[in-house]
Every structure is written in structure tokens, then in C-alpha cells.
Amino acid sequence: MATTSMLWLIDSDDPIADLRVGVVNDQVTAETLARNVIGDSVLVPRGETTLDRVASGADDEIGVAVYGRLAVIAGPRLAATAPSELPTELVTARPTAHAYLVHTDTDAAYGVFAQWDQGRLRRSFAADPVDIVENEGLPFLFERPFWAGEHPLQYIDGVAHDPQALPFHPVEFAACAAHTWLGLRLDAASASPNDTGSDFPISRLPVSRFAIRPPGHQPTDDDHAQVTSAPPATDTDAGLDEDDAPPVVKVARWFGFGKR
């Protein structure tokens, strides 16, 4: 895939273990979260799919899944050039201890990652191989080998080395964040250098797929015709029952609709 864009809302002490045990998407809670996120826009359910498909899907779609104490919102509209520009209401759309953003674009060689704790930005990074767009907060331990030059950029034969280039590839850097935080493998092209083969592929995670339409839109036959079938569910569910519904937030403008 060329791009992967996703925001994880985490209230688990060990999300990696939760994902590896097995998860089932709470479709009702996922749809509620999706409706809250898009505000006054119209949400058109498109059925169930997998995270890899919606993380790089159409611009007018989002994917949402709730796995107990874990939730994910995915799609091209999460492709933030600078993580600090994401609305606070989006990062806190579901009350959780941590939020993790990961965006990779292999065609543009662009990598982004960020972590929020209790809604406050702790660390963010966004760059292509030459230009750093955002670099806020103290680096995490997993970053050290990259800054130390242990994962250098690989150049095609005949291409001159850029003296201003970073000592690593930003896509690999962001993929390593996904590996470290969630144990996820985005795809073969952007696999983390630390992946020992145990990373959990996002193609195995079920999500609910939705189209976003402007306020007042009436679903058409074409809308209903594009409903996808649900992927096979895993045998075990690591999710927990939710006692409280997430608060309603209005971030429709971030998704391209709504009054200014």
C-alpha cells in the first residue's frame, strides 16, 4: 500500500498483548464513535472490512473499530502533515490514557508518528528524507538507533547521496513506532527494522467502514450498493464491555465538512 493513516485510542496497559490474543470489533460502539467524530455530516455505513483497506482507502471514507479498551480511526483524512494540527477533540474523541498517530506514505517517502497522554501531545515527528516538518517533545528510546545512523537511507545505484538527508528513512521510523507501541506490521514495504516476524499485520484487524457525506445528504442506491462483506472474525475476543459511551465531539471540519 502507498499510504497508511490511523489514530489509535488506547486505555490498556498492554495493547500488544490485547491484539495478539484476538479482537472482535464492537460494531455498534464503532458506529457511535464514527458518528460522534464526524459531527453534523452524514455517515453512510459501508459494511465490514480490514484495517489495511481503510487505512489507505478513499478520501471520503473512514474506518472505525472498537476492541474493548482499544479503538482505532483510520483513513486518508488522518494523514496529518504535522501531528500537532490534529484537533484536540479528535485525539480525545474517546476517553483513553494514550493516543497514537501513525501515517506513512511510501510514494512521498513521508513518515509521521505522535503520542498524546491524557490528551496532551508528548512527542511528534513528521518528515521526508530531507526536511523535518515537525519534531516536538523528547525522543523515545526506540528512536535512538535511527538518530545514531544504524538504519541509514538506502540509495538506488547512481543516485547521489544528499548531504542534508536524515540518517534514516522516515517511513521506517514511523513503522517502528507502530511496532513499538502496538506490535503492528503496516506492510512489507514499510516493515519495522525491529520486526522479528512476530508483528501483527493490520490486514488481520476487522473494522467498520463508512462513507462521509455533507450535512443533509440522503443515502442513495449507490451508497447502499457499496456495502462490503464482513471479514472472518477471530475466535477470541480480547475486548471488554464498555460502561460509558464516548462523548459527542464536533470535528467535522477536519473531515472536510461542516460550517466554519
Side-chain angles (χ1 to χ4, degrees):
M1 72 183 66
T3 63
T4 300
S5 307
M6 54 188 180
L7 175 69
W8 285 83
L9 307 175
I10 305 294
D11 205 24
S12 167
D13 293 332
D14 194 348
I16 295 177
D18 286 348
L19 290 172
R20 287 179 178 172
V21 166
V23 294
V24 173
N25 178 26
D26 181 341
Q27 298 178 31
V28 174
T29 306
E31 183 168 345
T32 299
L33 177 59
R35 292 189 185 281
N36 291 346
V37 165
I38 68 167
D40 296 331
S41 298
V42 175
L43 194 74
V44 180
R46 287 282 178 83
E48 298 300 294
T49 185
T50 51
L51 182 55
D52 60 314
R53 295 181 178 180
V54 295
S56 60
D59 289 342
D60 63 347
E61 291 186 350
I62 60 168
V64 180
V66 176
Y67 316 120
R69 296 175 297 180
L70 317 179
V72 61
I73 304 169
R77 294 169 186 268
L78 274 298
T81 302
S84 61
E85 296 177 357
L86 269 143
T88 301
E89 294 84 359
L90 180 59
V91 176
T92 60
R94 178 179 167 89
T96 55
H98 308 289
Y100 301 123
L101 174 72
V102 177
H103 165 62
T104 60
D105 184 337
T106 55
D107 289 344
Y110 200 77
V112 177
F113 65 83
Q115 175 176 330
W116 291 260
D117 294 339
Q118 305 294 342
R120 298 187 64 179
L121 184 63
R122 175 180 177 183
R123 172 74 175 124
S124 65
F125 178 86
D128 61 28
V130 176
D131 297 311
I132 294 178
V133 175
E134 185 164 294
N135 187 24
E136 301 291 337
L138 295 176
F140 290 112
L141 185 61
F142 77 81
E143 300 182 38
R144 182 181 299 171
F146 288 89
W147 293 109
E150 296 179 19
H151 303 290
L153 278 168
Q154 301 296 317
Y155 290 86
I156 299 174
D157 290 342
V159 175
H161 291 210
D162 190 328
Q164 301 299 318
L166 292 170
F168 53 82
H169 198 298
V171 171
E172 288 188 359
F173 202 23
C176 188
H179 160 83
T180 302
W181 292 332
L182 300 160
L184 295 179
R185 182 170 72 249
L186 305 184
D187 62 64
S190 60
S192 163
N194 297 332
D195 182 4
T196 60
S198 62
D199 277 7
F200 194 91
I202 62 174
S203 59
R204 292 175 57 188
L205 292 174
V207 299
S208 299
R209 174 175 167 245
F210 305 96
I212 305 173
R213 298 290 182 258
H217 173 81
Q218 295 297 320
T220 64
D221 291 341
D222 183 61
D223 287 327
H224 296 301
Q226 297 188 48
V227 174
T228 56
S229 301
T234 54
D235 294 332
T236 55
D237 182 2
L240 302 179
D241 292 335
E242 294 297 317
D243 296 326
D244 300 311
V248 175
V249 296
K250 302 294 185 181
V251 291
R253 279 179 291 177
W254 178 261
F255 288 97
F257 302 114
K259 297 180 179 178
R260 294 187 177 273

